[in-house]
Amino acid sequence: MRLRALLDTDALGLTLLGGEDELDRAVRGVMTTDLRDPSRYLSGGELVLTGLAWRRDAADSEPFVRLLVQAGVAALAAGEAELSAVPDDLIEACARHRLPLFAVHESVAFATITEHVVRQVSGERAGDLAAVVDRHRRMMTSGPAGGGPDVVLDLLGSDLDLRAWVLSPAGRLVAGPKVAGPALPADVCAALTAEHLSATRTGRRAPHRVLLSGATYSLFPVRTGAPQADGEVRETVLSDWFLAVEADAGDWPEERLDLVHGVTQLIAVERDRRDAARTVRRRLAQEVLELVQSSAPPAEIAARLRVAAPVLLPGLGAAPHWQVVVAGVDWQDSGIHPGRAAQTLLEEILVDPLSTGAEPSDRVAVAHTGEEAVALVPLPAVSAEHDGSETGIVADTLLESVRDPLSAGLGDDGRVTLGVSAPVHSAEGLRGALEEARHARRVAAARPGRVCAAGHQELASHVLLLPFVPDDVRRAFTARLLDPLREYDSRHRAELIPTLEAFLDCDGSWTRCAARLHLHVNTLRYRVGRIEQLTGRDLARLEDKLDFFLALRMS
């Protein structure tokens, strides 16, 4: 398609600011970027869309435009949303280099322009992908009923005889063809993800080709935008999806490479839609995090959680229990925003981690601070007669399937650390759970390895002895051990707490404790057995006796 056709399309909201004599240039693709140097991702003929986040002052325009011209782009389109108007220095630089420049009205999303260009270019270049583009257009306008990325991949298989899958940086299978053979095995997903992350981190030019189990795969990045200027690839290496095609793209003609690139852009639009759907959950998590960190009254936090529960678990009926996961991404000598990078990664890792169904779904809310991401994970409320055992996310199993791929993406100078709290049953426990998860992450950070996690169980016996541990964590530890006993005593008048205190004071002697409490030894054994059942601890173990001793002294 020609630039003139874009200008004549009113729905795109483009205003020509310069380059009227160049409007017959052909457009071969589209790219959205805010990199100061995006040339590594350009192959020529693109319409470049930018929000101008790369521009710090007037001196930045000339080198940016020069790089675009050297890469052979067709034109530049600058959004007006950030600066209200396209700056004069950019207009002048484009005029000097004869680069056509458009202004994009703030009411028009870049995704709208991207979809239009991809649809037009793909339709003109090859009729065998026209059905894919048209079907995806209908999917985008009809919502979930349109079928999602799976539809595009099915049509790739039927029209081009290409089997392809969309994978997340955590190795999760996002989408795949439903009518073209078996699903991609989990170990293959992990291996492909590791190769993609390693290639992207080291700056190798896509597509990345890999031979695995006798099959050749070509890996294409799916980018929804550009990383920040300072962080570049590291800002998105742990968040961008990618397309894995079971074929060797090394001998493909340019036209077919362009077609697959167009498909990745269509999938990027779908990724944008899914990210937009997370906006409400992110906002709820941010509000709860701010309330917790500002020491707001528990009633106020509880009210906000009641709002969050139906959003995360629609139809739950009762207020859930909650678990807190804290994650951090640390990269040496890097300008990335660690909290934002950790937020996106944590959302990928925690896509319904407790689901037993085949289809993953988002039910977590993730906020971020400057240095870390904090996830609120709702858990189904358990019965009042539960046996004291806790359900929820287990730190060790959380990273089982993602440790190898993420380690490849991090390389030698990056780390991901996670801390997982115990489930809490009310807003009063949320502050302690947050501190508990943060301390668990510190335990994980002390371990070797690129991807490490620690859970609340690992705080019970040694971290709490350290004097720098906050009171909130001490209260959380005490409540976890003693609250089940207090609740049971309240319902049954069983005197489990006094029995526990006496048993420890008697150094675990059955006869001395029974005599002190004026009980038969069999009655004492029954009570101690109930204590162990409710707490999941063993009073024959020294470690558990010490934990109970500390909990009673701190209560």
Side-chain angles (χ1 to χ4, degrees), residues 141-394:
T141 56
S142 62
D150 295 332
V151 172
V152 181
L153 302 182
D154 278 336
L155 292 174
L156 269 180
S158 62
D159 290 5
L160 301 182
D161 196 26
L162 290 176
R163 297 182 69 214
W165 301 264
V166 180
L167 299 173
S168 81
R172 177 174 62 88
L173 185 62
V174 177
K178 297 190 178 300
V179 295
L184 204 61
D187 59 336
V188 175
C189 290
L192 292 176
T193 302
E195 176 65 23
H196 165 72
L197 292 177
S198 177
T200 302
R201 177 181 53 80
T202 55
R204 285 154 50 192
R205 189 176 182 87
H208 316 306
R209 288 177 290 162
V210 56
L211 180 64
L212 192 63
S213 301
T216 300
Y217 297 87
S218 299
L219 312 180
F220 298 81
V222 174
R223 293 192 172 92
T224 61
Q228 298 298 309
D230 293 336
E232 295 197 0
V233 174
R234 288 178 174 180
E235 183 75 17
T236 58
V237 67
L238 299 180
S239 60
D240 281 344
W241 291 351
F242 69 98
L243 180 70
V245 182
E246 190 178 7
D248 187 347
D251 56 357
W252 281 4
E254 192 69 24
E255 290 77 9
R256 175 154 290 202
L257 287 171
D258 287 343
L259 292 177
V260 175
H261 178 62
V263 172
T264 65
Q265 291 182 316
L266 292 175
I267 295 172
V269 175
E270 174 65 15
R271 172 67 189 272
D272 282 336
R273 288 171 59 90
R274 295 195 183 189
D275 280 347
R278 288 174 171 169
T279 301
V280 174
R281 291 190 293 275
R282 287 175 174 175
R283 186 171 65 247
L284 286 171
Q286 203 72 41
E287 291 173 355
V288 172
L289 178 60
E290 290 173 359
L291 289 174
V292 170
Q293 295 190 139
S294 64
S295 300
E300 187 175 354
I301 300 175
R304 180 52 53 188
L305 289 177
R306 284 194 294 271
V307 173
V311 173
L312 301 178
L313 286 179
L316 185 64
H321 296 169
W322 299 90
Q323 203 165 4
V324 176
V325 181
V326 174
V329 175
D330 302 305
W331 235 315
Q332 297 175 10
D333 302 324
S334 174
I336 70 168
H337 188 295
R340 183 166 56 235
Q343 180 186 43
T344 308
L345 178 62
L346 196 53
E347 286 172 336
E348 289 292 344
I349 294 176
L350 291 175
V351 171
D352 211 354
L354 303 177
S355 174
T356 57
E359 294 295 331
S361 62
D362 287 335
R363 68 174 194 177
V364 299
V366 186
H368 71 79
T369 63
E371 301 296 327
E372 65 185 9
V374 179
L376 294 176
V377 183
L379 308 174
V382 298
S383 167
E385 296 298 326
H386 71 93
D387 63 0
S389 62
E390 295 174 342
T391 60
I393 298 172
V394 179

Side-chain angles (χ1 to χ4, degrees), residues 10-59:
D10 294 338
L12 299 183
L14 297 178
T15 301
L16 183 65
L17 300 181
E20 185 174 0
D21 296 336
E22 307 291 333
L23 291 181
D24 286 330
R25 291 187 182 186
V27 179
R28 299 176 59 248
V30 61
M31 177 189 179
T32 300
T33 185
D34 275 313
L35 281 173
R36 299 171 71 85
D37 179 8
S39 57
R40 74 172 69 183
Y41 305 116
L42 296 169
S43 57
E46 294 93 348
L47 170 67
V48 175
L49 306 174
T50 181
L52 300 177
W54 51 267
R55 182 185 178 276
R56 297 173 181 175
D57 54 45

Side-chain angles (χ1 to χ4, degrees), residues 395-416:
D396 290 338
T397 59
L398 183 61
L399 297 180
E400 279 182 0
S401 63
V402 303
R403 181 173 280 109
D404 290 343
L406 291 182
S407 296
L410 292 163
D412 296 330
D413 58 353
R415 296 199 73 199
V416 171

